[in-house]
């Protein structure tokens, strides 16, 4: 079970918060250093097929538009890791890819980034 809590506060303004438990059979916690000036560093995030990932979070020691990733090395614009990113539920994970097997990181900053990836998933495929 992954317990997800999210909150956002605007200084002098509103605050929102939400929490939810997401049922998973297994989890993986991955920490990898994405060296400065590296391109397409592959990080395998899960071995399963479509629909098995229920939760994924991606955080880093540094953030910016020059630290990016692609899911399964798909064509198109890379995603900037400019803030912590949390995808809870099949709908949110599906925004990345229904079967996110690998993330390919590129870092054009002048410093290394230590990226932490946390994945919650089903351990067995659906029949």
């Amino acid at each position: 079970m992954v317990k997800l809590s999210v909150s956002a506060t605007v200084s002098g303004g509103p605050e929102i918060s939400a929490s939810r438990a997401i049922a998973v059979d297994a989890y993986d916690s991955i920490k990898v250093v994405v060296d400065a000036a590296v391109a397409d560093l592959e990080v395998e995030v899960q071995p399963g097929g479509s629909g098995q990932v229920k939760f994924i979070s991606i955080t880093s020691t540094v953030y910016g538009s020059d630290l990016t990733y692609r899911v399964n090395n798909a064509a198109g614009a890379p995603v900037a890791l400019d803030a912590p990113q949390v995808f809870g539920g099949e709908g949110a994970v599906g925004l990345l890819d229904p079967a996110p097997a690998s993330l390919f990181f590129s870092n054009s900053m002048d410093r290394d980034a230590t990226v932490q990836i946390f994945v919650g998933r089903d351990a067995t495929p659906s029949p």
Side-chain angles (χ1 to χ4, degrees), residues 38-51:
V38 74
D40 292 328
L41 173 68
E42 183 178 8
V43 179
E44 293 180 354
V45 295
Q46 68 103 16
S50 184

Side-chain angles (χ1 to χ4, degrees), residues 46 48-54 90 97-100 125-126:
Q46 68 103 16
S50 184
Q52 287 185 261
V53 174
K54 306 299 182 198
E90 287 183 60
D97 186 291
S126 298

Side-chain angles (χ1 to χ4, degrees), residues 69-87:
Y69 67 92
R70 293 179 189 272
V71 181
N72 298 334
N73 213 14
V79 177
L81 188 55
D82 55 0
Q85 297 180 5
V86 178
F87 303 89

Side-chain angles (χ1 to χ4, degrees), residues 47-59:
S50 184
Q52 287 185 261
V53 174
K54 306 299 182 198
F55 173 86
I56 187 167
S57 72
I58 308 167
T59 58

Side-chain angles (χ1 to χ4, degrees), residues 18-110:
S19 61
R20 178 168 186 254
I22 300 172
V24 299
D25 297 328
Y27 71 89
D28 296 294
S29 181
I30 304 158
K31 184 184 282 188
V32 62
V33 175
V34 182
D35 294 329
V38 74
D40 292 328
L41 173 68
E42 183 178 8
V43 179
E44 293 180 354
V45 295
Q46 68 103 16
S50 184
Q52 287 185 261
V53 174
K54 306 299 182 198
F55 173 86
I56 187 167
S57 72
I58 308 167
T59 58
S60 179
T61 54
V62 295
Y63 296 97
S65 59
D66 292 330
L67 177 61
T68 63
Y69 67 92
R70 293 179 189 272
V71 181
N72 298 334
N73 213 14
V79 177
L81 188 55
D82 55 0
Q85 297 180 5
V86 178
F87 303 89
E90 287 183 60
V93 171
L95 293 171
L96 296 174
D97 186 291
S102 294
L103 301 178
F104 291 78
F105 288 92
S106 294
N107 180 359
S108 57
M109 296 188 290
D110 60 357

